[in-house]
Amino acid sequence: YTANAGTTLYAVWEETYTVSYNANGGTFPGTVKSVSPKKDDTVDVWLTAGEMPVRTGYDFKGWAKTIEDANAGTADYKDGETTSFTMGDDSITLYAVWAPQNIPIAYDQDDCTDAENQPLLTLTASPTSVPYGSTLEFKVTIDTNKVDTSKFQVVVGNSVIAATSVDQHESPKTYTYKVNGVKEALTIRFTGLTYRTYGVTLDPDGGTILGGSVRYYTVGSGAVLPNEDQIIRTGYHFDGW
């Protein structure tokens, strides 16, 4: 402009605001983006691949306007859909939205089988997958009249998550395990079950046992008792037990 006399110029200010990003339990792999738009500016939401936050056991699903929506799994902005908004008259924080990954569950009963490879326990209500961070729940039924549970253990990896004694295992019994820190399939392993062993007393009732004496038998395999050639009594014929 052209001035013919002294004048005073006054600065004109337009307020700016901040758009911040909160990883909401995750971590950013690099520098966290922050922008300072003016009111009514169009803001492109930060959705650059490779720059989004990461979190063990979870998949990133986008950004939410409130922490409540984020924790409920509701994303206001996500790649391929709504990716921008018009700036209002206040700063805003966007919160990462996470979805738990599904963890496959396997059950290993190989150490709890009989001589014919039949399981000594029955699994019920045993899900084959659960969301990361949730609690796995499964039920085990054991016929404690036949099976000795004194060394029974439930194992995950190298950790024993449950151990019971012969008198502590109700049937069915519910076990739980918090699924955290697992990135791949989780295997629940059962060990320590065997058939019960019972004592056997043989009373020859006046006779004499020559051989084949048995002092115990195991459920599932039975016992071989002395036969007519292995027990005698003068004046009598052995007719069985």
Side-chain angles (χ1 to χ4, degrees), residues 13-234:
W13 300 101
E14 189 170 8
E15 190 171 3
T16 60
Y17 304 95
T18 301
V19 178
S20 302
Y21 294 88
N22 185 308
N24 189 24
T27 56
F28 291 98
T31 303
V32 181
K33 187 174 183 178
S34 179
V35 295
S36 301
K38 302 184 296 295
K39 182 180 179 181
D40 296 329
D41 280 355
T42 297
V43 177
D44 291 325
V45 177
W46 186 30
L47 290 165
T48 306
E51 297 179 1
M52 294 299 93
V54 294
R55 184 181 178 187
T56 300
Y58 293 82
D59 294 322
F60 176 74
K61 292 299 182 181
W63 301 100
K65 297 176 182 177
T66 66
I67 188 66
E68 292 78 14
D69 283 348
N71 291 338
T74 303
D76 297 295
Y77 309 105
K78 48 189 174 182
D79 195 25
E81 298 185 20
T82 304
T83 59
S84 64
F85 64 93
T86 300
M87 193 65 199
D89 56 2
D90 200 0
S91 294
I92 185 174
T93 297
L94 299 180
Y95 300 87
V97 179
W98 301 103
Q101 297 169 354
N102 223 29
I103 305 300
I105 306 296
Y107 302 89
D108 181 356
Q109 303 179 56
D110 289 349
D111 291 339
C112 289
T113 57
D114 62 16
E116 297 179 352
N117 206 34
Q118 296 301 308
L120 301 181
L121 59 84
T122 301
L123 278 169
T124 57
S126 49
T128 56
S129 65
V130 292
Y132 182 90
S134 65
T135 298
L136 168 66
E137 182 175 296
F138 55 93
K139 293 183 179 180
V140 174
T141 300
I142 300 172
D143 185 348
T144 54
N145 290 320
K146 296 181 179 180
V147 177
D148 181 358
T149 65
S150 60
K151 297 181 180 180
F152 179 58
Q153 293 183 335
V154 183
V155 181
V156 179
N158 295 320
S159 301
V160 176
I161 66 170
T164 62
S165 72
V166 65
D167 296 323
Q168 292 177 329
H169 188 92
E170 313 90 15
S171 284
K173 184 177 179 65
T174 299
Y175 294 92
T176 59
Y177 180 74
K178 185 73 171 178
V179 183
N180 281 336
V182 180
K183 296 181 180 180
E184 300 177 352
L186 183 69
T187 298
I188 309 296
R189 185 164 58 89
F190 305 96
T191 67
L193 290 184
T194 57
Y195 276 124
R196 284 184 181 277
T197 297
Y198 292 91
V200 177
T201 301
L202 299 180
D203 183 351
D205 191 22
T208 301
I209 299 175
L210 301 177
S213 179
V214 61
R215 293 182 176 84
Y216 64 89
Y217 79 95
T218 301
V219 175
S221 61
V224 179
L225 300 174
N227 59 35
E228 61 182 5
D229 296 325
Q230 297 169 311
I231 182 170
I232 60 172
R233 181 181 179 186
T234 301

